[in-house]
Amino acid sequence: MRLGMALLVMVALQVTGLAQEEADVSGPCETPQHAQFDFWVGNWRVEDPEGTFQGTNNIVKLLDSCVIQENWEGASGLRGHSYNLYYAAADSWHQTWVDTSGSLLQLDGGLVDDVMVLEGTTPSVQEPGVTVYHRISWNVVDGNADHVRQHWEVSTDDQASWRTVFDGQYYRVEE
């Protein structure tokens, strides 16, 4: 009886130890780099700099915190989603954006002085043969985690000049 009890205690200790070891192992996306864009996670009301409502955005972490998904509902009726991830092999962030207008935008980049900056190119729809350069940045405004700015600029002259196409002021709302 004592031998059986001793074996039972040993098995329980081994199982408990294994469970503790598993709890101590962090997932592949639990690094400081994977958390660089976490300031954007949440529910947001988005306005332009003049305070005009532009839409709502729900940003969530998925797939064991490996992916940040954006769920945009624009005031104009446009809906879109982006999927963002830190790709460790390239030491870079990547975003793929798709929306109800049939647009596709793929961006790459990373954190620069506390600002997430992602860039990419697309062919121009209006001007065949012209490349459109996109640069989108996100940052916390004045240290207030409940206010984020998204600034989207484009260039059609090989980056000699830039034009703002979206300047979104994100204000956190209750979930």
Side-chain angles (χ1 to χ4, degrees), residues 54-135:
Q54 298 297 305
T56 60
N57 218 345
N58 172 256
I59 316 297
V60 297
K61 292 190 87 167
L62 303 173
L63 301 173
D64 295 333
S65 297
C66 290
V67 175
I68 295 175
Q69 179 188 38
E70 172 185 15
N71 303 285
W72 171 257
E73 296 274 341
S76 67
L78 180 81
R79 291 177 292 118
H81 298 283
S82 75
Y83 298 90
N84 306 267
L85 67 96
Y86 175 73
Y87 186 48
D91 189 26
S92 179
W93 276 87
H94 175 80
Q95 181 183 93
T96 296
W97 164 267
V98 293
D99 64 35
T100 55
S101 75
S103 293
L104 169 67
L105 183 58
Q106 296 186 28
L107 307 168
D108 293 287
L111 204 59
V112 179
D113 297 325
D114 296 325
V115 178
M116 182 61 70
V117 180
L118 303 179
E119 300 175 309
T121 62
T122 60
S124 174
V125 174
Q126 290 83 18
E127 302 175 65
V130 172
T131 297
V132 179
Y133 293 84
H134 301 264
R135 179 172 60 205

Side-chain angles (χ1 to χ4, degrees), residues 4-22:
M5 184 61 91
L7 285 174
L8 184 60
V9 169
M10 285 177 53
V11 169
L13 288 173
Q14 285 180 339
V15 169
T16 303
L18 288 175
Q20 183 60 42
E21 285 178 26
E22 288 179 12

